[in-house]
PDB file of all heavy atoms in Angstrom:
ATOM      1  N   GLY A 406     100.559  46.980  37.547  1.00  0.00           N
ATOM      2  CA  GLY A 406     100.763  46.349  38.847  1.00  0.00           C
ATOM      3  C   GLY A 406     102.108  46.690  39.456  1.00  0.00           C
ATOM      4  O   GLY A 406     102.217  46.892  40.677  1.00  0.00           O
ATOM      5  N   ALA A 407     103.142  46.757  38.629  1.00  0.00           N
ATOM      6  CA  ALA A 407     104.467  47.109  39.139  1.00  0.00           C
ATOM      7  C   ALA A 407     104.483  48.557  39.650  1.00  0.00           C
ATOM      8  O   ALA A 407     105.068  48.847  40.703  1.00  0.00           O
ATOM      9  CB  ALA A 407     105.514  46.920  38.045  1.00  0.00           C
ATOM     10  N   PHE A 408     103.838  49.453  38.924  1.00  0.00           N
ATOM     11  CA  PHE A 408     103.782  50.850  39.365  1.00  0.00           C
ATOM     12  C   PHE A 408     102.984  50.979  40.669  1.00  0.00           C
ATOM     13  O   PHE A 408     103.392  51.721  41.585  1.00  0.00           O
ATOM     14  CB  PHE A 408     103.147  51.724  38.285  1.00  0.00           C
ATOM     15  CG  PHE A 408     104.035  51.954  37.104  1.00  0.00           C
ATOM     16  CD1 PHE A 408     103.512  52.188  35.847  1.00  0.00           C
ATOM     17  CD2 PHE A 408     105.421  51.947  37.239  1.00  0.00           C
ATOM     18  CE1 PHE A 408     104.325  52.398  34.761  1.00  0.00           C
ATOM     19  CE2 PHE A 408     106.246  52.155  36.150  1.00  0.00           C
ATOM     20  CZ  PHE A 408     105.694  52.378  34.909  1.00  0.00           C
ATOM     21  N   MET A 409     101.870  50.276  40.776  1.00  0.00           N
ATOM     22  CA  MET A 409     101.072  50.353  42.000  1.00  0.00           C
ATOM     23  C   MET A 409     101.840  49.774  43.179  1.00  0.00           C
ATOM     24  O   MET A 409     101.808  50.323  44.302  1.00  0.00           O
ATOM     25  CB  MET A 409      99.745  49.627  41.803  1.00  0.00           C
ATOM     26  CG  MET A 409      98.809  49.764  42.987  1.00  0.00           C
ATOM     27  SD  MET A 409      97.167  49.084  42.654  1.00  0.00           S
ATOM     28  CE  MET A 409      96.374  49.402  44.246  1.00  0.00           C
ATOM     29  N   ALA A 410     102.533  48.653  42.974  1.00  0.00           N
ATOM     30  CA  ALA A 410     103.352  48.079  44.047  1.00  0.00           C
ATOM     31  C   ALA A 410     104.459  49.035  44.473  1.00  0.00           C
ATOM     32  O   ALA A 410     104.783  49.126  45.660  1.00  0.00           O
ATOM     33  CB  ALA A 410     103.939  46.746  43.591  1.00  0.00           C
ATOM     34  N   ALA A 411     105.025  49.771  43.508  1.00  0.00           N
ATOM     35  CA  ALA A 411     106.075  50.733  43.848  1.00  0.00           C
ATOM     36  C   ALA A 411     105.506  51.869  44.696  1.00  0.00           C
ATOM     37  O   ALA A 411     106.150  52.307  45.672  1.00  0.00           O
ATOM     38  CB  ALA A 411     106.689  51.293  42.566  1.00  0.00           C
ATOM     39  N   PHE A 412     104.315  52.348  44.393  1.00  0.00           N
ATOM     40  CA  PHE A 412     103.720  53.418  45.190  1.00  0.00           C
ATOM     41  C   PHE A 412     103.328  52.934  46.587  1.00  0.00           C
ATOM     42  O   PHE A 412     103.480  53.662  47.578  1.00  0.00           O
ATOM     43  CB  PHE A 412     102.500  53.998  44.477  1.00  0.00           C
ATOM     44  CG  PHE A 412     102.846  54.947  43.360  1.00  0.00           C
ATOM     45  CD1 PHE A 412     102.643  54.597  42.045  1.00  0.00           C
ATOM     46  CD2 PHE A 412     103.388  56.203  43.640  1.00  0.00           C
ATOM     47  CE1 PHE A 412     102.959  55.465  41.021  1.00  0.00           C
ATOM     48  CE2 PHE A 412     103.720  57.072  42.620  1.00  0.00           C
ATOM     49  CZ  PHE A 412     103.499  56.706  41.303  1.00  0.00           C
ATOM     50  N   VAL A 413     102.811  51.715  46.675  1.00  0.00           N
ATOM     51  CA  VAL A 413     102.475  51.166  47.993  1.00  0.00           C
ATOM     52  C   VAL A 413     103.736  51.024  48.841  1.00  0.00           C
ATOM     53  O   VAL A 413     103.752  51.377  50.046  1.00  0.00           O
ATOM     54  CB  VAL A 413     101.751  49.813  47.840  1.00  0.00           C
ATOM     55  CG1 VAL A 413     101.605  49.120  49.192  1.00  0.00           C
ATOM     56  CG2 VAL A 413     100.376  50.010  47.213  1.00  0.00           C
ATOM     57  N   ALA A 414     104.808  50.523  48.256  1.00  0.00           N
ATOM     58  CA  ALA A 414     106.069  50.401  48.988  1.00  0.00           C
ATOM     59  C   ALA A 414     106.617  51.761  49.384  1.00  0.00           C
ATOM     60  O   ALA A 414     107.188  51.919  50.480  1.00  0.00           O
ATOM     61  CB  ALA A 414     107.089  49.650  48.134  1.00  0.00           C
ATOM     62  N   TYR A 415     106.436  52.759  48.529  1.00  0.00           N
ATOM     63  CA  TYR A 415     106.915  54.118  48.849  1.00  0.00           C
ATOM     64  C   TYR A 415     106.208  54.690  50.066  1.00  0.00           C
ATOM     65  O   TYR A 415     106.855  55.205  51.002  1.00  0.00           O
ATOM     66  CB  TYR A 415     106.715  55.027  47.639  1.00  0.00           C
ATOM     67  CG  TYR A 415     106.782  56.495  47.952  1.00  0.00           C
ATOM     68  CD1 TYR A 415     107.993  57.115  48.229  1.00  0.00           C
ATOM     69  CD2 TYR A 415     105.618  57.271  47.954  1.00  0.00           C
ATOM     70  CE1 TYR A 415     108.056  58.477  48.520  1.00  0.00           C
ATOM     71  CE2 TYR A 415     105.672  58.627  48.240  1.00  0.00           C
ATOM     72  CZ  TYR A 415     106.889  59.225  48.517  1.00  0.00           C
ATOM     73  OH  TYR A 415     106.939  60.577  48.801  1.00  0.00           O
ATOM     74  N   PHE A 416     104.886  54.616  50.098  1.00  0.00           N
ATOM     75  CA  PHE A 416     104.140  55.161  51.229  1.00  0.00           C
ATOM     76  C   PHE A 416     104.408  54.357  52.505  1.00  0.00           C
ATOM     77  O   PHE A 416     104.491  54.952  53.610  1.00  0.00           O
ATOM     78  CB  PHE A 416     102.636  55.177  50.928  1.00  0.00           C
ATOM     79  CG  PHE A 416     102.236  56.238  49.933  1.00  0.00           C
ATOM     80  CD1 PHE A 416     101.682  55.905  48.716  1.00  0.00           C
ATOM     81  CD2 PHE A 416     102.441  57.586  50.224  1.00  0.00           C
ATOM     82  CE1 PHE A 416     101.311  56.877  47.801  1.00  0.00           C
ATOM     83  CE2 PHE A 416     102.077  58.565  49.317  1.00  0.00           C
ATOM     84  CZ  PHE A 416     101.515  58.210  48.095  1.00  0.00           C
ATOM     85  N   ALA A 417     104.530  53.050  52.406  1.00  0.00           N
ATOM     86  CA  ALA A 417     104.829  52.239  53.592  1.00  0.00           C
ATOM     87  C   ALA A 417     106.229  52.540  54.133  1.00  0.00           C
ATOM     88  O   ALA A 417     106.412  52.684  55.359  1.00  0.00           O
ATOM     89  CB  ALA A 417     104.698  50.749  53.251  1.00  0.00           C
ATOM     90  N   LEU A 418     107.207  52.672  53.238  1.00  0.00           N
ATOM     91  CA  LEU A 418     108.571  52.980  53.689  1.00  0.00           C
ATOM     92  C   LEU A 418     108.660  54.373  54.285  1.00  0.00           C
ATOM     93  O   LEU A 418     109.347  54.591  55.304  1.00  0.00           O
ATOM     94  CB  LEU A 418     109.535  52.845  52.509  1.00  0.00           C
ATOM     95  CG  LEU A 418     111.015  53.122  52.800  1.00  0.00           C
ATOM     96  CD1 LEU A 418     111.550  52.142  53.843  1.00  0.00           C
ATOM     97  CD2 LEU A 418     111.828  53.038  51.523  1.00  0.00           C
ATOM     98  N   LYS A 419     107.947  55.318  53.698  1.00  0.00           N
ATOM     99  CA  LYS A 419     107.964  56.678  54.242  1.00  0.00           C
ATOM    100  C   LYS A 419     107.320  56.725  55.625  1.00  0.00           C
ATOM    101  O   LYS A 419     107.821  57.431  56.528  1.00  0.00           O
ATOM    102  CB  LYS A 419     107.248  57.629  53.284  1.00  0.00           C
ATOM    103  CG  LYS A 419     107.427  59.093  53.647  1.00  0.00           C
ATOM    104  CD  LYS A 419     106.828  59.994  52.592  1.00  0.00           C
ATOM    105  CE  LYS A 419     105.314  59.939  52.615  1.00  0.00           C
ATOM    106  NZ  LYS A 419     104.698  60.998  51.786  1.00  0.00           N
ATOM    107  N   ALA A 420     106.223  56.001  55.814  1.00  0.00           N
ATOM    108  CA  ALA A 420     105.600  55.951  57.143  1.00  0.00           C
ATOM    109  C   ALA A 420     106.534  55.317  58.162  1.00  0.00           C
ATOM    110  O   ALA A 420     106.604  55.752  59.321  1.00  0.00           O
ATOM    111  CB  ALA A 420     104.288  55.180  57.050  1.00  0.00           C
TER     112      ALA A 420
END
Side-chain angles (χ1 to χ4, degrees):
F408 287 151
M409 185 172 180
F412 282 110
V413 170
Y415 163 73
F416 287 117
L418 180 61
K419 190 174 71 169

